[in-house]
Amino acid sequence: MRKVANDTSFKTTNSDEYNDALNILNRYNIITSDFLIPVLAYSFTYNSQTNFNDNNFSFFKVRLANSGNALGLLSNKTNVNNKKTLANIPLAQYFKTDLEYKKFWDVGGNSVFGIRTFLGAIIPYDNSDIPFTKSYFAGGSNDIRAWQTYELGPGSRNTGLEFNVGSLKFLTSAEYRFDVVSKLKGALFIDAGNIWDITGSEFVDEESKFNNVSSLKDIAVGTGFGARLDFSFLILRLDVGFKTYEPYLTGNKWLKNYNFSNAVYNIGINYPF
């Protein structure tokens, strides 16, 4: 792959394939690279829940983080990729902000309706890469449940790669929870969101970038139902997510793969939010 990424004749005659190879190589380097991540962070949390049984409450959390600002001033060394290093280890330099809001209503009969919205962004500086562990992903049992972890995005891309990450994330969910019988509870849910790239990297194709409001058309939508066993001290959860709107499809993007054969089965502990 390194040979392909450096082959100028291949780049000229097969530009799309060249960009794909370069993108995969860049992701491989990020996933396997070592980073020094000295983080300074501030978090603020507001939670109006009075006790464990309170089902009418709001929750808000904001987290601001910076990596590498102070130590970056102490280092004037770079590696062969022109990334700043400290003790020969690449220094992660970024600003990151996460916002999360949750609201729950007790609708009677031991039923609860809840919503959750998350918005996060991470911006590198000084030519730094974003460490894989600090990037955003979409999909999974606590995320957009119609897609597997790391499967969705970025943007309207469907890369087929195992680990798809981005530097901007939006996620919103709504869930109705109700009793079925004894310890068995049920749920109906809808999840929507995606990840995008906002770094301006040359390795990123246009379909993966968040450019303006028009990029909101890339928001994927999943719906489904779930069953939960409530043991008071923990909850065992099974959620089945169906791909309802797939932004990477051509032509009709609604309900094209809305069936059990393309559903995602999520097993989890406790509620997704």
Side-chain angles (χ1 to χ4, degrees):
M1 187 177 297
R2 292 180 182 273
K3 182 178 180 180
V4 170
N6 291 292
D7 188 340
T8 55
S9 63
F10 181 82
K11 176 181 179 180
T12 303
T13 57
N14 301 272
S15 58
D16 290 341
E17 290 79 3
Y18 173 86
N19 287 334
D20 286 342
L22 201 61
N23 187 26
I24 293 171
L25 176 61
N26 182 55
R27 294 183 188 211
Y28 170 80
N29 289 336
I30 292 174
I31 291 172
T32 59
S33 292
D34 293 326
F35 280 98
L36 185 63
I37 312 176
V39 175
L40 293 174
Y42 169 79
S43 294
F44 171 80
T45 300
Y46 168 79
N47 189 353
S48 66
Q49 188 176 30
T50 56
N51 56 64
F52 181 76
N53 295 317
D54 183 8
N55 290 322
N56 277 302
F57 69 94
S58 299
F59 174 94
F60 174 74
K61 182 177 182 179
V62 57
R63 185 175 188 270
L64 307 174
N66 166 253
S67 174
N69 195 18
L71 289 184
L73 298 175
L74 302 177
S75 173
N76 57 4
K77 296 182 178 180
T78 58
N79 60 17
V80 294
N81 296 317
N82 199 31
K83 311 295 183 183
K84 185 168 288 190
T85 63
L86 192 66
N88 295 321
I89 302 175
L91 185 64
Q93 296 181 282
Y94 63 80
F95 291 99
K96 187 176 186 181
T97 301
D98 293 335
L99 302 170
E100 184 179 20
Y101 174 76
K102 296 186 286 189
K103 175 69 176 176
F104 296 89
W105 293 269
D106 189 333
V107 294
N110 290 326
S111 298
V112 177
F113 180 77
I115 60 172
R116 177 264 308 266
T117 298
F118 174 88
L119 179 65
I122 180 169
I123 301 176
Y125 61 93
D126 245 2
N127 198 37
S128 175
D129 288 325
I130 299 173
F132 175 72
T133 56
K134 300 300 180 180
S135 299
Y136 296 104
F137 66 89
S141 62
N142 296 321
D143 205 270
I144 306 175
R145 285 164 277 185
W147 281 265
Q148 296 179 3
T149 307
Y150 292 104
E151 182 183 13
L152 179 61
S156 59
R157 287 281 287 168
N158 186 18
T159 65
L161 300 178
E162 292 183 319
F163 300 104
N164 297 292
V165 294
S167 48
L168 173 69
K169 179 174 181 176
F170 172 74
L171 168 67
T172 188
S173 299
E175 184 167 284
Y176 174 59
R177 303 165 182 169
F178 53 90
D179 285 350
V180 178
V181 58
S182 185
K183 297 182 181 297
L184 179 63
K185 300 179 181 294
L188 301 173
F189 63 83
I190 177 171
D191 304 319
N194 207 333
I195 54 173
W196 295 267
D197 181 85
I198 56 172
T199 65
S201 170
E202 63 178 306
F203 298 110
V204 179
D205 51 68
E206 287 299 319
E207 291 86 354
S208 301
K209 296 179 181 179
F210 188 93
N211 295 308
N212 48 51
V213 177
S214 64
S215 294
L216 296 179
K217 70 181 184 301
D218 299 334
I219 292 178
V221 179
T223 55
F225 61 89
R228 292 89 190 270
L229 287 174
D230 188 349
F231 295 105
S232 297
F233 59 93
L234 67 82
I235 294 171
L236 297 179
R237 172 167 54 93
L238 172 64
D239 288 329
V240 184
F242 298 92
K243 296 176 176 63
T244 307
Y245 177 81
E246 301 173 74
Y248 44 79
L249 295 179
T250 57
N252 180 30
K253 302 181 180 183
W254 287 97
L255 305 175
K256 192 169 183 179
N257 293 297
Y258 195 90
N259 50 60
F260 280 97
S261 61
N262 289 292
V264 174
Y265 298 82
N266 300 277
I267 297 175
I269 304 274
N270 294 329
Y271 290 114
F273 62 90

